C-alpha cells in the first residue's frame, strides 16, 4: 500500500516517481508562499552540499524566510500534484525551488556566495538556491525549473519596464 504524503513530508514515494515518467507535465511553477518555506527548508537540508570554505546562508532557514518575505517574486517553487489524489484534496507537493535576490552591483565574485540583502531596484538578479528533491533528480526537473524561472523573470522585467 502506498500512503499519500502530507504537507511537509517527503514529496513522494519511489512508486509515485516510477509510475509517472511524464511527471513534468503535472508540475506547476509558482511563487513560493510563506506556508511553502518549511518544505523548502527540508529540501535544502536534505540536499546541502558541503563547500570548503563553507558558503554562508544560501539555503539556511533564515535566508529562505528572508527571501520569501523580502524577495517574494524571485522565489519560485515546483509543485507536483499526484494523479491519484482525492478530488477534494487540494494540496500540491513542493519538489523543488529556485530563489534569488536582486543586487545593486557586484564588487567581486564573493558577492555570489556571501549573504547580501535584497535590493528591489537592483539591476542584477542573483540566483541563490536551486534545489530538487532527491527522488526527482536526473529527470529534467532542475533544467525545467531554471528555464521556467528565467522566462518568468523576463516577463517580470518587461512588466516593471512598462509600469515603472
Amino acid at each position: 500500500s502506498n500512503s499519500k504524503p502530507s504537507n511537509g513530508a517527503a514529496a513522494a514515494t519511489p512508486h509515485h516517481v516510477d509510475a509517472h515518467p511524464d511527471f513534468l507535465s503535472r508540475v506547476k511553477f509558482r511563487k513560493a508562499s510563506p506556508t511553502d518555506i518549511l518544505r523548502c527548508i527540508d529540501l535544502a537540508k536534505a540536499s546541502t552540499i558541503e563547500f570548503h570554505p563553507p558558503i554562508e546562508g544560501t539555503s539556511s532557514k533564515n535566508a529562505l524566510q528572508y527571501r520569501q518575505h523580502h524577495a517574494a517574486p524571485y522565489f519560485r517553487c515546483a509543485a507536483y500534484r499526484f494523479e491519484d489524489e482525492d478530488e477534494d484534496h487540494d494540496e500540491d507537493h513542493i519538489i523543488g525551488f529556485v530563489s534569488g535576490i536582486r543586487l545593486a552591483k557586484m564588487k567581486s565574485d564573493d558577492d555570489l556566495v556571501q549573504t547580501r540583502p535584497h535590493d528591489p531596484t537592483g539591476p542584477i538578479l542573483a540566483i541563490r538556491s536551486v534545489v530538487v528533491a532527491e527522488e526527482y533528480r536526473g529527470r529534467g526537473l532542475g533544467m525545467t525549473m531554471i528555464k521556467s524561472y528565467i522566462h518568468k523573470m523576463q516577463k517580470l522585467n518587461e512588466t516593471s519596464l512598462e509600469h515603472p
Side-chain angles (χ1 to χ4, degrees):
S1 83
N2 221 344
S3 62
K4 294 176 194 162
S6 62
N7 196 13
T13 62
H15 172 75
H16 280 110
V17 174
D18 295 339
H20 301 298
D22 64 333
F23 81 98
L24 284 175
S25 67
R26 286 188 290 283
V27 176
K28 179 175 90 173
F29 300 97
R30 61 171 173 77
K31 193 162 83 170
S33 70
T35 58
D36 295 327
I37 295 303
L38 289 178
R39 173 67 179 146
C40 290
I41 291 165
D42 288 344
L43 285 175
K45 282 181 188 172
S47 65
T48 299
I49 298 169
E50 294 297 323
F51 290 95
H52 299 282
I55 295 175
E56 294 299 322
T58 55
S59 292
S60 70
K61 178 180 178 182
N62 287 345
L64 294 178
Q65 287 175 325
Y66 172 88
R67 278 184 245 144
Q68 193 284 320
H69 183 75
H70 295 284
Y74 311 102
F75 198 136
R76 314 263 319 153
C77 289
Y80 181 77
R81 182 174 307 282
F82 293 110
E83 195 172 64
D84 59 353
E85 286 195 10
D86 299 331
E87 299 278 331
D88 60 346
H89 187 71
D90 192 30
E91 183 181 336
D92 57 20
H93 305 277
I94 304 303
I95 61 172
F97 68 90
V98 179
S99 71
I101 59 170
R102 293 187 75 141
L103 301 172
K105 60 184 174 181
M106 284 183 42
K107 299 173 191 142
S108 71
D109 288 343
D110 287 346
D111 289 344
L112 291 174
V113 296
Q114 298 302 319
T115 301
R116 294 276 305 274
H118 171 66
D119 178 348
T121 62
I124 299 167
L125 176 63
I127 294 177
R128 306 300 287 163
S129 301
V130 178
V131 176
V132 174
E134 186 174 356
E135 61 269 30
Y136 290 95
R137 292 182 194 158
R139 304 188 65 195
L141 179 60
M143 181 61 73
T144 304
M145 285 188 333
I146 291 291
K147 287 179 179 178
S148 171
Y149 189 86
I150 290 169
H151 179 75
K152 185 65 176 178
M153 295 306 108
Q154 288 170 333
K155 290 263 189 224
L156 195 62
N157 194 43
E158 288 168 13
T159 304
S160 67
L161 291 175
E162 293 168 9
H163 309 286

